[in-house]
Amino acid sequence: MKRISKYSLITVFVCSMTFSGVQAQLPEKVGSLISADRTAAGLAKREGPHKAFLSIVDKESTLYVPSAVDALNYLNNRPNIPDVMSWTPNFALVSKSLDWGVTSGPMEFQKVGAIKRFGQYLTVWRRDRKGNWKVHVRAEVENFGKGPKSDLVFYEPDDSWYLKHRSHVRLQQREEVVTQSDELFSTVLKADNVAAFQEFLAEDVRYYYPWEAEIEGKQNVLDFLKKKRIEIITDPADVGRAYSGEYAYTSGTATVRSKEKVVKFNYIRIWQLKDDYQWRVIIEMMFER
């Protein structure tokens, strides 16, 4: 799996910029997803977030608002959503099977007459039968918009072989493997938060928590949780996995105890099957229920 980031020898700059009159090019595979996300963001700026979301959801899409709802029904009932919204992906990946992907990044939103607000969005995508990228799950967490701006990081899938399962039973069994990893993570959290995060977070994890800037890197996540005296207990509920098998997501509920209070949260975790054949969390988002 090819990873290109600000830590690579090649630095990738986010793309509405031009160089010598030629627009910067992204790799073809993950680039299609980044383009779909940016196109929706552009539509949100021009014609409003309601129309933008309708363009990227279908009957299988779920939005967290903050509870999980059927996206199409929710939007067709003219919900009370912001009048103005913009977002920019600073992270993207696509599976080798090209059917599944993830984007995340900073966002801004505002109701007419109210102050501008900020946050982070996370979208799990899938391709429909026509080959269009559609939202599978989308969630947001609010923050103060004061964090440093991150360069775009993306994972371009390679062309290596993967097992093409046809059996629904076998595909379900593969999802159960991810569920078991999340259940084990949750079990260890009950005993020792630090040990759980040390074991299950990837070194380059991204962490999204209410009213905090995006946190990058496992040690920075551990330092944040220690500083805030946060303890987390999670209860898995849902799972989805790319057909090629190397990426997955889990979601569920969480109880978060800090030095100030106890809060009921939802969570979404993006998992990657690493070279040592262990599942590690590369993104975790916590947001209030």
Side-chain angles (χ1 to χ4, degrees):
M1 185 63 60
K2 184 178 181 182
R3 182 179 189 268
I4 303 178
S5 76
K6 62 183 179 179
Y7 303 110
S8 305
L9 294 177
I10 300 174
T11 302
V12 179
F13 292 94
V14 181
C15 59
S16 54
M17 298 187 298
T18 59
F19 181 73
S20 298
V22 179
Q23 186 166 341
Q25 296 297 310
L26 291 166
E28 179 181 357
K29 297 172 184 176
V30 72
S32 70
L33 177 59
I34 295 170
S35 294
D37 199 12
R38 287 176 174 163
T39 297
L43 187 60
K45 282 185 177 181
R46 295 189 308 272
E47 303 187 44
H50 185 263
K51 189 165 186 177
F53 287 138
L54 278 174
S55 73
I56 54 173
V57 304
D58 60 18
K59 62 182 180 180
E60 298 180 24
S61 303
T62 296
L63 299 177
Y64 281 87
V65 292
S67 298
V69 297
D70 178 286
L72 204 53
N73 288 342
Y74 176 75
L75 293 169
N76 284 337
N77 286 325
R78 303 298 299 185
N80 183 27
I81 62 176
D83 299 300
V84 179
M85 179 180 287
S86 63
W87 65 86
T88 304
N90 66 4
F91 178 91
L93 64 82
V94 168
S95 66
K96 288 187 284 189
S97 49
L98 306 181
D99 68 322
W100 198 93
V102 174
T103 58
S104 68
M107 57 178 292
E108 300 178 0
F109 57 100
Q110 189 173 13
K111 295 285 288 184
V112 172
I115 62 170
K116 182 186 293 186
R117 297 160 68 179
F118 303 88
Q120 187 84 20
Y121 76 94
L122 172 62
T123 305
V124 179
W125 301 79
R126 54 176 174 72
R127 284 191 190 270
D128 65 13
R129 293 183 178 181
K130 296 180 180 179
N132 298 315
W133 285 108
K134 296 294 182 181
V135 171
H136 183 53
V137 174
R138 179 179 170 113
E140 300 165 357
V141 62
E142 195 165 353
N143 59 36
F144 294 109
K146 296 181 179 179
K149 302 298 182 183
S150 297
D151 294 333
L152 173 64
V153 175
F154 59 83
Y155 288 71
E156 173 76 351
D158 59 35
D159 296 321
S160 60
W161 178 88
Y162 62 89
L163 187 60
K164 297 176 174 63
H165 289 290
R166 302 298 181 190
S167 166
H168 289 292
V169 172
R170 180 57 181 151
L171 290 171
Q172 183 175 354
Q173 289 172 342
R174 296 197 321 155
E175 288 190 347
E176 288 172 356
V177 170
V178 183
T179 299
Q180 289 165 6
S181 295
D182 203 19
E183 288 173 344
L184 182 57
F185 189 0
S186 299
T187 298
V188 180
L189 279 170
K190 292 177 182 177
D192 189 330
N193 263 215
V194 173
F197 285 115
Q198 284 278 16
E199 176 63 25
F200 288 94
L201 296 188
E203 291 297 330
D204 57 352
V205 66
R206 289 170 174 246
Y207 205 82
Y208 309 138
Y209 192 88
W211 305 109
E212 297 292 335
E214 179 182 40
I215 305 170
E216 296 186 48
K218 178 162 65 175
Q219 189 56 55
N220 289 331
V221 174
L222 290 169
D223 291 345
F224 161 72
L225 296 172
K226 180 179 179 180
K227 180 180 179 180
K228 297 292 186 177
R229 300 180 190 174
I230 291 173
E231 292 187 357
I232 298 172
I233 303 264
T234 58
D235 185 14
D238 197 14
V239 63
R241 185 171 175 177
Y243 179 66
S244 47
E246 77 275 36
Y247 293 115
Y249 86 92
T250 55
S251 62
T253 57
T255 301
V256 179
R257 292 180 172 85
S258 67
K259 55 186 178 182
E260 292 93 9
K261 56 186 176 180
V262 177
V263 184
K264 299 296 183 181
F265 276 33
N266 292 308
Y267 74 88
I268 296 177
R269 291 174 177 143
I270 307 299
W271 297 77
Q272 182 182 21
L273 186 61
K274 295 294 189 178
D275 292 339
D276 61 359
Y277 300 102
Q278 299 297 314
W279 285 98
R280 296 288 183 268
V281 176
I282 58 174
I283 295 179
E284 178 163 298
M285 175 180 278
M286 289 279 173
F287 50 102
E288 291 188 34
R289 286 187 245 167

Short mmCIF file of all heavy atoms in Angstrom, two decimals, residues 240-286:
data_model
loop_
_atom_site.label_atom_id
_atom_site.label_comp_id
_atom_site.label_asym_id
_atom_site.label_seq_id
_atom_site.Cartn_x
_atom_site.Cartn_y
_atom_site.Cartn_z
N GLY A 240 -18.21 -2.67 9.11
CA GLY A 240 -18.20 -2.75 7.65
C GLY A 240 -16.77 -2.92 7.20
O GLY A 240 -15.84 -2.38 7.82
N ARG A 241 -16.57 -3.67 6.11
CA ARG A 241 -15.21 -3.96 5.67
C ARG A 241 -15.13 -3.86 4.15
O ARG A 241 -16.07 -4.25 3.44
CB ARG A 241 -14.80 -5.36 6.13
CG ARG A 241 -13.36 -5.75 5.82
CD ARG A 241 -13.00 -7.05 6.51
NE ARG A 241 -11.65 -7.51 6.13
CZ ARG A 241 -11.06 -8.59 6.63
NH1 ARG A 241 -11.68 -9.32 7.54
NH2 ARG A 241 -9.85 -8.94 6.24
N ALA A 242 -14.02 -3.36 3.66
CA ALA A 242 -13.79 -3.30 2.22
C ALA A 242 -13.77 -4.71 1.65
O ALA A 242 -13.32 -5.66 2.31
CB ALA A 242 -12.48 -2.60 1.92
N TYR A 243 -14.21 -4.85 0.41
CA TYR A 243 -14.23 -6.18 -0.23
C TYR A 243 -12.83 -6.78 -0.29
O TYR A 243 -12.65 -7.99 -0.09
CB TYR A 243 -14.82 -6.06 -1.63
CG TYR A 243 -14.87 -7.36 -2.39
CD1 TYR A 243 -15.68 -8.40 -1.96
CD2 TYR A 243 -14.09 -7.55 -3.53
CE1 TYR A 243 -15.73 -9.61 -2.65
CE2 TYR A 243 -14.12 -8.74 -4.22
CZ TYR A 243 -14.94 -9.78 -3.78
OH TYR A 243 -14.98 -10.97 -4.45
N SER A 244 -11.82 -5.95 -0.54
CA SER A 244 -10.45 -6.45 -0.60
C SER A 244 -9.88 -6.77 0.78
O SER A 244 -8.84 -7.42 0.89
CB SER A 244 -9.55 -5.45 -1.32
OG SER A 244 -9.76 -4.14 -0.86
N GLY A 245 -10.52 -6.29 1.83
CA GLY A 245 -10.23 -6.78 3.16
C GLY A 245 -9.27 -6.01 4.02
O GLY A 245 -9.18 -6.26 5.22
N GLU A 246 -8.54 -5.02 3.45
CA GLU A 246 -7.47 -4.40 4.23
C GLU A 246 -7.93 -3.24 5.09
O GLU A 246 -7.19 -2.78 5.96
CB GLU A 246 -6.33 -3.97 3.31
CG GLU A 246 -6.58 -2.70 2.51
CD GLU A 246 -7.32 -2.92 1.20
OE1 GLU A 246 -8.22 -3.80 1.16
OE2 GLU A 246 -7.03 -2.19 0.24
N TYR A 247 -9.13 -2.74 4.87
CA TYR A 247 -9.69 -1.65 5.66
C TYR A 247 -11.07 -2.03 6.18
O TYR A 247 -11.79 -2.82 5.55
CB TYR A 247 -9.82 -0.37 4.83
CG TYR A 247 -8.52 0.24 4.40
CD1 TYR A 247 -8.18 0.31 3.05
CD2 TYR A 247 -7.62 0.76 5.34
CE1 TYR A 247 -6.98 0.89 2.64
CE2 TYR A 247 -6.43 1.33 4.94
CZ TYR A 247 -6.11 1.39 3.59
OH TYR A 247 -4.93 1.96 3.20
N ALA A 248 -11.45 -1.42 7.29
CA ALA A 248 -12.77 -1.66 7.86
C ALA A 248 -13.13 -0.50 8.78
O ALA A 248 -12.28 0.34 9.11
CB ALA A 248 -12.80 -2.98 8.64
N TYR A 249 -14.40 -0.47 9.18
CA TYR A 249 -14.79 0.49 10.22
C TYR A 249 -15.64 -0.25 11.25
O TYR A 249 -16.28 -1.27 10.96
CB TYR A 249 -15.57 1.67 9.65
CG TYR A 249 -17.06 1.45 9.51
CD1 TYR A 249 -17.94 1.81 10.54
CD2 TYR A 249 -17.58 0.84 8.38
CE1 TYR A 249 -19.30 1.58 10.42
CE2 TYR A 249 -18.95 0.61 8.26
CZ TYR A 249 -19.80 0.98 9.28
OH TYR A 249 -21.15 0.73 9.17
N THR A 250 -15.62 0.24 12.45
CA THR A 250 -16.55 -0.19 13.49
C THR A 250 -17.16 1.05 14.12
O THR A 250 -16.57 2.13 14.08
CB THR A 250 -15.88 -1.04 14.58
OG1 THR A 250 -14.76 -0.31 15.14
CG2 THR A 250 -15.40 -2.37 14.04
N SER A 251 -18.34 0.89 14.70
CA SER A 251 -18.98 1.99 15.40
C SER A 251 -19.73 1.44 16.60
O SER A 251 -20.01 0.24 16.68
CB SER A 251 -19.93 2.75 14.47
OG SER A 251 -20.97 1.91 14.01
N GLY A 252 -20.05 2.33 17.52
CA GLY A 252 -20.77 1.92 18.71
C GLY A 252 -20.95 3.08 19.66
O GLY A 252 -20.85 4.25 19.27
N THR A 253 -21.19 2.76 20.91
CA THR A 253 -21.39 3.78 21.93
C THR A 253 -20.23 3.75 22.93
O THR A 253 -19.50 2.76 23.03
CB THR A 253 -22.71 3.56 22.69
OG1 THR A 253 -22.71 2.24 23.26
CG2 THR A 253 -23.89 3.69 21.73
N ALA A 254 -20.07 4.85 23.64
CA ALA A 254 -18.98 4.97 24.60
C ALA A 254 -19.43 5.76 25.81
O ALA A 254 -20.28 6.64 25.72
CB ALA A 254 -17.77 5.63 23.95
N THR A 255 -18.83 5.45 26.94
CA THR A 255 -18.95 6.25 28.15
C THR A 255 -17.59 6.87 28.42
O THR A 255 -16.59 6.16 28.53
CB THR A 255 -19.38 5.40 29.35
OG1 THR A 255 -20.64 4.78 29.06
CG2 THR A 255 -19.51 6.26 30.60
N VAL A 256 -17.55 8.19 28.47
CA VAL A 256 -16.28 8.91 28.61
C VAL A 256 -16.28 9.64 29.94
O VAL A 256 -17.12 10.52 30.18
CB VAL A 256 -16.07 9.89 27.44
CG1 VAL A 256 -14.76 10.65 27.61
CG2 VAL A 256 -16.08 9.14 26.11
N ARG A 257 -15.33 9.28 30.78
CA ARG A 257 -15.18 9.92 32.07
C ARG A 257 -13.95 10.83 32.04
O ARG A 257 -12.86 10.40 31.71
CB ARG A 257 -15.00 8.88 33.18
CG ARG A 257 -16.24 8.04 33.43
CD ARG A 257 -16.01 7.01 34.54
NE ARG A 257 -17.24 6.33 34.91
CZ ARG A 257 -17.74 5.28 34.28
NH1 ARG A 257 -17.10 4.78 33.24
NH2 ARG A 257 -18.86 4.73 34.69
N SER A 258 -14.15 12.08 32.40
CA SER A 258 -13.04 13.02 32.52
C SER A 258 -13.03 13.56 33.94
O SER A 258 -13.87 13.19 34.77
CB SER A 258 -13.20 14.16 31.52
OG SER A 258 -14.32 14.97 31.85
N LYS A 259 -12.10 14.48 34.21
CA LYS A 259 -12.02 15.02 35.56
C LYS A 259 -13.20 15.92 35.88
O LYS A 259 -13.46 16.22 37.04
CB LYS A 259 -10.71 15.78 35.74
CG LYS A 259 -10.46 16.89 34.73
CD LYS A 259 -9.08 17.48 34.90
CE LYS A 259 -8.80 18.56 33.86
NZ LYS A 259 -7.43 19.11 33.99
N GLU A 260 -13.94 16.36 34.81
CA GLU A 260 -15.09 17.23 35.04
C GLU A 260 -16.42 16.49 35.08
O GLU A 260 -17.30 16.82 35.86
CB GLU A 260 -15.17 18.31 33.94
CG GLU A 260 -14.06 19.33 33.97
CD GLU A 260 -12.91 18.94 33.06
OE1 GLU A 260 -13.09 17.95 32.31
OE2 GLU A 260 -11.87 19.60 33.10
N LYS A 261 -16.60 15.45 34.22
CA LYS A 261 -17.93 14.88 34.06
C LYS A 261 -17.87 13.52 33.38
O LYS A 261 -16.81 13.06 32.95
CB LYS A 261 -18.81 15.83 33.23
CG LYS A 261 -18.23 16.17 31.87
CD LYS A 261 -19.06 17.23 31.15
CE LYS A 261 -18.42 17.62 29.83
NZ LYS A 261 -19.22 18.64 29.11
N VAL A 262 -19.06 12.90 33.27
CA VAL A 262 -19.23 11.66 32.53
C VAL A 262 -20.17 11.96 31.37
O VAL A 262 -21.24 12.53 31.57
CB VAL A 262 -19.82 10.54 33.41
CG1 VAL A 262 -20.06 9.27 32.59
CG2 VAL A 262 -18.89 10.25 34.59
N VAL A 263 -19.78 11.59 30.15
CA VAL A 263 -20.55 11.92 28.95
C VAL A 263 -20.78 10.66 28.13
O VAL A 263 -19.90 9.80 28.02
CB VAL A 263 -19.81 12.97 28.09
CG1 VAL A 263 -20.68 13.38 26.90
CG2 VAL A 263 -19.44 14.19 28.92
N LYS A 264 -21.98 10.56 27.56
CA LYS A 264 -22.31 9.46 26.66
C LYS A 264 -21.93 9.86 25.23
O LYS A 264 -22.40 10.88 24.72
CB LYS A 264 -23.80 9.13 26.74
CG LYS A 264 -24.26 8.69 28.13
CD LYS A 264 -23.59 7.39 28.55
CE LYS A 264 -24.11 6.92 29.90
NZ LYS A 264 -23.45 5.66 30.32
N PHE A 265 -21.12 9.04 24.60
CA PHE A 265 -20.62 9.33 23.26
C PHE A 265 -21.01 8.23 22.27
O PHE A 265 -21.38 7.12 22.67
CB PHE A 265 -19.08 9.40 23.27
CG PHE A 265 -18.51 10.73 23.68
CD1 PHE A 265 -19.15 11.54 24.60
CD2 PHE A 265 -17.31 11.17 23.16
CE1 PHE A 265 -18.61 12.75 24.99
CE2 PHE A 265 -16.75 12.37 23.55
CZ PHE A 265 -17.41 13.17 24.46
N ASN A 266 -20.92 8.56 21.00
CA ASN A 266 -20.80 7.56 19.93
C ASN A 266 -19.35 7.55 19.49
O ASN A 266 -18.61 8.50 19.72
CB ASN A 266 -21.69 7.92 18.74
CG ASN A 266 -23.16 7.81 19.05
OD1 ASN A 266 -23.64 6.79 19.53
ND2 ASN A 266 -23.91 8.87 18.76
N TYR A 267 -18.95 6.48 18.81
CA TYR A 267 -17.61 6.45 18.23
C TYR A 267 -17.63 5.77 16.88
O TYR A 267 -18.49 4.95 16.57
CB TYR A 267 -16.61 5.74 19.16
CG TYR A 267 -16.74 4.24 19.19
CD1 TYR A 267 -16.07 3.43 18.26
CD2 TYR A 267 -17.54 3.61 20.15
CE1 TYR A 267 -16.19 2.04 18.30
CE2 TYR A 267 -17.67 2.23 20.19
CZ TYR A 267 -16.99 1.45 19.26
OH TYR A 267 -17.13 0.09 19.29
N ILE A 268 -16.65 6.14 16.05
CA ILE A 268 -16.36 5.45 14.80
C ILE A 268 -14.86 5.21 14.76
O ILE A 268 -14.07 6.11 15.05
CB ILE A 268 -16.80 6.26 13.57
CG1 ILE A 268 -18.32 6.45 13.56
CG2 ILE A 268 -16.34 5.58 12.28
CD1 ILE A 268 -18.81 7.32 12.41
N ARG A 269 -14.48 3.99 14.42
CA ARG A 269 -13.07 3.64 14.26
C ARG A 269 -12.82 3.15 12.84
O ARG A 269 -13.57 2.34 12.32
CB ARG A 269 -12.67 2.53 15.25
CG ARG A 269 -12.67 2.99 16.70
CD ARG A 269 -12.42 1.85 17.67
NE ARG A 269 -12.35 2.36 19.03
CZ ARG A 269 -12.82 1.71 20.10
NH1 ARG A 269 -13.41 0.52 19.96
NH2 ARG A 269 -12.71 2.24 21.30
N ILE A 270 -11.75 3.65 12.24
CA ILE A 270 -11.29 3.15 10.94
C ILE A 270 -10.09 2.26 11.22
O ILE A 270 -9.11 2.69 11.84
CB ILE A 270 -10.89 4.30 10.00
CG1 ILE A 270 -12.03 5.33 9.89
CG2 ILE A 270 -10.51 3.74 8.64
CD1 ILE A 270 -13.33 4.77 9.33
N TRP A 271 -10.17 1.03 10.72
CA TRP A 271 -9.14 0.02 10.97
C TRP A 271 -8.37 -0.29 9.70
O TRP A 271 -8.92 -0.27 8.60
CB TRP A 271 -9.77 -1.27 11.47
CG TRP A 271 -10.49 -1.19 12.78
CD1 TRP A 271 -11.74 -0.67 13.01
CD2 TRP A 271 -10.04 -1.66 14.06
NE1 TRP A 271 -12.08 -0.78 14.34
CE2 TRP A 271 -11.07 -1.40 15.00
CE3 TRP A 271 -8.87 -2.30 14.47
CZ2 TRP A 271 -10.95 -1.75 16.35
CZ3 TRP A 271 -8.74 -2.65 15.82
CH2 TRP A 271 -9.77 -2.37 16.74
N GLN A 272 -7.10 -0.64 9.88
CA GLN A 272 -6.27 -1.10 8.77
C GLN A 272 -5.57 -2.39 9.19
O GLN A 272 -5.06 -2.51 10.31
CB GLN A 272 -5.22 -0.06 8.40
CG GLN A 272 -4.34 -0.48 7.22
CD GLN A 272 -3.27 0.55 6.89
OE1 GLN A 272 -2.90 1.38 7.72
NE2 GLN A 272 -2.76 0.50 5.68
N LEU A 273 -5.57 -3.37 8.28
CA LEU A 273 -4.85 -4.61 8.51
C LEU A 273 -3.38 -4.36 8.16
O LEU A 273 -3.03 -4.13 7.00
CB LEU A 273 -5.43 -5.73 7.65
CG LEU A 273 -4.87 -7.13 7.87
CD1 LEU A 273 -5.12 -7.60 9.31
CD2 LEU A 273 -5.48 -8.12 6.87
N LYS A 274 -2.53 -4.40 9.15
CA LYS A 274 -1.13 -4.03 8.97
C LYS A 274 -0.31 -5.21 8.41
O LYS A 274 -0.81 -6.33 8.28
CB LYS A 274 -0.53 -3.56 10.30
CG LYS A 274 -1.16 -2.27 10.83
CD LYS A 274 -0.86 -1.08 9.93
CE LYS A 274 -1.27 0.23 10.55
NZ LYS A 274 -0.93 1.39 9.70
N ASP A 275 0.95 -4.93 8.12
CA ASP A 275 1.81 -5.95 7.52
C ASP A 275 2.04 -7.15 8.44
O ASP A 275 2.39 -8.24 7.96
CB ASP A 275 3.17 -5.33 7.14
CG ASP A 275 3.04 -4.34 5.99
OD1 ASP A 275 2.04 -4.42 5.24
OD2 ASP A 275 3.93 -3.48 5.86
N ASP A 276 1.87 -6.95 9.76
CA ASP A 276 2.01 -8.07 10.70
C ASP A 276 0.70 -8.82 10.91
O ASP A 276 0.58 -9.64 11.81
CB ASP A 276 2.55 -7.58 12.05
CG ASP A 276 1.62 -6.56 12.72
OD1 ASP A 276 0.57 -6.21 12.13
OD2 ASP A 276 1.94 -6.11 13.83
N TYR A 277 -0.29 -8.51 10.05
CA TYR A 277 -1.62 -9.16 10.06
C TYR A 277 -2.41 -8.85 11.32
O TYR A 277 -3.32 -9.59 11.70
CB TYR A 277 -1.49 -10.68 9.87
CG TYR A 277 -0.82 -11.04 8.57
CD1 TYR A 277 0.52 -11.43 8.55
CD2 TYR A 277 -1.51 -10.94 7.36
CE1 TYR A 277 1.15 -11.74 7.34
CE2 TYR A 277 -0.88 -11.24 6.16
CZ TYR A 277 0.44 -11.64 6.16
OH TYR A 277 1.06 -11.93 4.97
N GLN A 278 -2.09 -7.73 11.96
CA GLN A 278 -2.86 -7.25 13.10
C GLN A 278 -3.67 -6.04 12.68
O GLN A 278 -3.20 -5.19 11.92
CB GLN A 278 -1.92 -6.88 14.25
CG GLN A 278 -1.09 -8.04 14.78
CD GLN A 278 -1.94 -9.14 15.37
OE1 GLN A 278 -2.87 -8.87 16.14
NE2 GLN A 278 -1.65 -10.38 15.02
N TRP A 279 -4.90 -5.96 13.20
CA TRP A 279 -5.74 -4.80 12.93
C TRP A 279 -5.36 -3.66 13.87
O TRP A 279 -5.23 -3.87 15.08
CB TRP A 279 -7.21 -5.15 13.13
CG TRP A 279 -7.77 -5.99 12.01
CD1 TRP A 279 -7.93 -7.34 11.99
CD2 TRP A 279 -8.24 -5.51 10.74
NE1 TRP A 279 -8.47 -7.74 10.80
CE2 TRP A 279 -8.68 -6.64 10.01
CE3 TRP A 279 -8.34 -4.25 10.16
CZ2 TRP A 279 -9.19 -6.54 8.73
CZ3 TRP A 279 -8.87 -4.13 8.88
CH2 TRP A 279 -9.28 -5.27 8.18
N ARG A 280 -5.19 -2.47 13.29
CA ARG A 280 -4.87 -1.29 14.08
C ARG A 280 -5.80 -0.15 13.69
O ARG A 280 -6.20 -0.02 12.52
CB ARG A 280 -3.43 -0.84 13.85
CG ARG A 280 -2.38 -1.85 14.31
CD ARG A 280 -2.28 -1.91 15.84
NE ARG A 280 -1.24 -2.82 16.28
CZ ARG A 280 -1.42 -4.10 16.57
NH1 ARG A 280 -2.62 -4.62 16.44
NH2 ARG A 280 -0.42 -4.85 16.99
N VAL A 281 -6.14 0.69 14.66
CA VAL A 281 -7.02 1.84 14.42
C VAL A 281 -6.20 2.98 13.85
O VAL A 281 -5.24 3.44 14.48
CB VAL A 281 -7.72 2.27 15.72
CG1 VAL A 281 -8.55 3.53 15.48
CG2 VAL A 281 -8.60 1.14 16.25
N ILE A 282 -6.59 3.48 12.66
CA ILE A 282 -5.88 4.60 12.05
C ILE A 282 -6.65 5.91 12.21
O ILE A 282 -6.08 6.98 12.05
CB ILE A 282 -5.54 4.34 10.58
CG1 ILE A 282 -6.80 4.04 9.76
CG2 ILE A 282 -4.53 3.20 10.46
CD1 ILE A 282 -6.53 3.91 8.26
N ILE A 283 -7.95 5.82 12.51
CA ILE A 283 -8.75 7.00 12.86
C ILE A 283 -9.74 6.59 13.94
O ILE A 283 -10.37 5.53 13.84
CB ILE A 283 -9.54 7.55 11.66
CG1 ILE A 283 -8.61 8.10 10.58
CG2 ILE A 283 -10.50 8.66 12.10
CD1 ILE A 283 -9.34 8.64 9.36
N GLU A 284 -9.88 7.44 14.95
CA GLU A 284 -10.97 7.27 15.91
C GLU A 284 -11.64 8.63 16.10
O GLU A 284 -10.96 9.64 16.33
CB GLU A 284 -10.48 6.72 17.25
CG GLU A 284 -11.60 6.58 18.27
CD GLU A 284 -11.24 5.69 19.43
OE1 GLU A 284 -10.98 4.50 19.21
OE2 GLU A 284 -11.21 6.20 20.59
N MET A 285 -12.97 8.64 16.01
CA MET A 285 -13.74 9.85 16.27
C MET A 285 -14.70 9.57 17.42
O MET A 285 -15.44 8.58 17.40
CB MET A 285 -14.54 10.30 15.04
CG MET A 285 -15.46 11.50 15.32
SD MET A 285 -16.41 12.06 13.89
CE MET A 285 -15.18 13.08 13.08
N MET A 286 -14.69 10.45 18.40
CA MET A 286 -15.63 10.42 19.52
C MET A 286 -16.53 11.64 19.43
O MET A 286 -16.05 12.75 19.25
CB MET A 286 -14.87 10.44 20.86
CG MET A 286 -14.13 9.19 21.19
SD MET A 286 -15.24 7.95 21.89
CE MET A 286 -14.13 6.54 21.99
#
